[in-house]
Amino acid sequence: MTEAQATPQVRKRVLLAKPRGYCAGVDRAVQTVQEALKLYGAPIYVRKQIVHNKHVVSTLERQGAIFVEENEEVPEGAIVIFSAHGVAPEVHEQAKARSLRAIDATCPLVTKVHHEARRFAADDYDILLIGHEGHEEVIGTSGEAPAHIQLVDGPGAADTVTVRDPAKVVWLSQTTLSVDETMETVARLKRRLPLLQSPPSDDICYATQNRQHVVKEIAPDCDVVIVVGSRNSSNSVRLVEVAVDAGARAGYLVDYASEIADEWLAGATTVGVTSGASVPDDLVMEVLDHLAERGFGEVTEITTADERLTFSLPQELKRDMRAAAARAAQAAPLAATAVES
């Protein structure tokens, strides 16, 4: 018997999380830009990154999308798409002032939070918005009722909140937060404000919750969890934190498979893989190929939810698509008559 035959082979495997990757809101936003490019032609202007993913943004740039920070960078009268993270009302007003044709690709789940903010503000509530300072979604939601909204950035910030009337206060949240950290923040707020009301339904989106739940399932069995996603993606960053908190030895965030360092895998036998809600699945497949080349060829997919939710495209875009289709249908018989004659 040779030494190689006598040495037991270490079983290396990958636990692949499902659900992972694109959520309904991201799929809708990316499709909005793609369909706008087909319908109107390049260039199409997009205010902020349409979704927080480096690969998606660069792909759309190659197709003719131009990403800008503010409406002032868009030529007057041009088309501008607002990102999935939502915008404050003043951004819509700025677009009108420049005669921009605005297409709003805000995720409907973010729009729901905006509606809640307006409703509670109209009833003169103090609104405690749990979220991360500077995040586009927080800026957009805060803009709906700036006089009524206070940002609570994590559990520690709960201890410094002041309100006008402890009997008229409600909490809302950014949709892409850690579920556990948000609930910890709410618990600390309620210790100081026992009459604090909750939103009518969860503000943290279903996709964020589902991706965190499956990571919690696989993390205790993983030496390393690799999350595919960009560093400005809140939900992707949260997945790394959730993985480590749930028992993984280490967690790493990468945009591409090439960023995976071999030392991360040293001594590992089980690697968990997932991706943020704005990540196309082909990037995950490249990570699996990369791991297979390093001996992690056994892949087991762990599923904890079946996602079937879809969102329709923005009304502004659908209206123009229907008009274009009608024009094409009217032109077809004329073209056929011309050929026959």
Side-chain angles (χ1 to χ4, degrees), residues 63 71 107 121 142 161 165 183 203 211 219 222 243 270 273 292 295 301:
Q63 295 172 2
N71 288 333
C107 172
S142 298
V161 165
D165 181 354
M183 291 302 100
D203 283 347
R211 280 149 191 72
C222 294
T270 302
V273 174
E301 191 168 59

Side-chain angles (χ1 to χ4, degrees), residues 233-251:
S233 166
S234 177
N235 76 90
S236 298
V237 172
R238 300 290 84 73
L239 285 173
V240 176
E241 296 171 353
V242 168
V244 174
D245 288 345
R249 188 185 75 200

Side-chain angles (χ1 to χ4, degrees), residues 131-272:
H132 297 304
E133 186 173 3
H135 192 278
E136 289 163 38
E137 185 184 327
V138 165
I139 294 170
T141 301
S142 298
E144 294 287 354
H148 290 263
I149 292 177
Q150 297 182 57
L151 178 63
V152 183
D153 194 344
D159 299 333
T160 60
V161 165
T162 59
V163 298
R164 295 170 299 159
D165 181 354
K168 291 196 70 173
V169 59
V170 64
W171 69 271
L172 304 176
S173 81
Q174 182 181 329
T175 64
T176 54
L177 299 178
S178 160
V179 176
D180 292 341
E181 184 176 298
T182 301
M183 291 302 100
E184 181 185 347
T185 304
V186 171
R188 288 179 67 161
L189 286 169
K190 285 188 173 180
R191 284 200 289 271
R192 297 185 64 237
L193 301 165
L195 298 180
L196 177 68
Q197 295 187 35
S198 300
S201 60
D202 284 345
D203 283 347
I204 298 178
C205 88
Y206 76 97
T208 298
Q209 295 189 52
N210 287 344
R211 280 149 191 72
Q212 290 179 16
H213 178 65
V214 68
V215 165
K216 288 180 183 179
E217 288 289 312
I218 67 172
D221 295 322
C222 294
D223 300 300
V224 180
V225 172
I226 294 172
V227 178
V228 186
S230 294
R231 298 194 179 280
N232 63 338
S233 166
S234 177
N235 76 90
S236 298
V237 172
R238 300 290 84 73
L239 285 173
V240 176
E241 296 171 353
V242 168
V244 174
D245 288 345
R249 188 185 75 200
Y252 300 99
L253 183 66
V254 300
D255 271 296
Y256 301 102
S258 59
E259 296 172 9
I260 299 172
D262 285 342
E263 53 263 33
W264 299 350
L265 308 176
T269 57
T270 302
V271 176

Side-chain angles (χ1 to χ4, degrees), residues 16-32:
L16 178 61
K18 183 179 180 181
R20 62 180 180 275
Y22 271 14
C23 63
V26 165
D27 193 41
R28 173 183 186 263
V30 174
Q31 281 191 51
T32 295

Side-chain angles (χ1 to χ4, degrees), residues 313-328:
L313 293 172
Q315 290 298 321
E316 311 94 327
L317 180 59
K318 286 169 56 178
R319 181 186 61 238
D320 287 355
M321 291 172 69
R322 286 193 297 267
R327 289 194 298 270

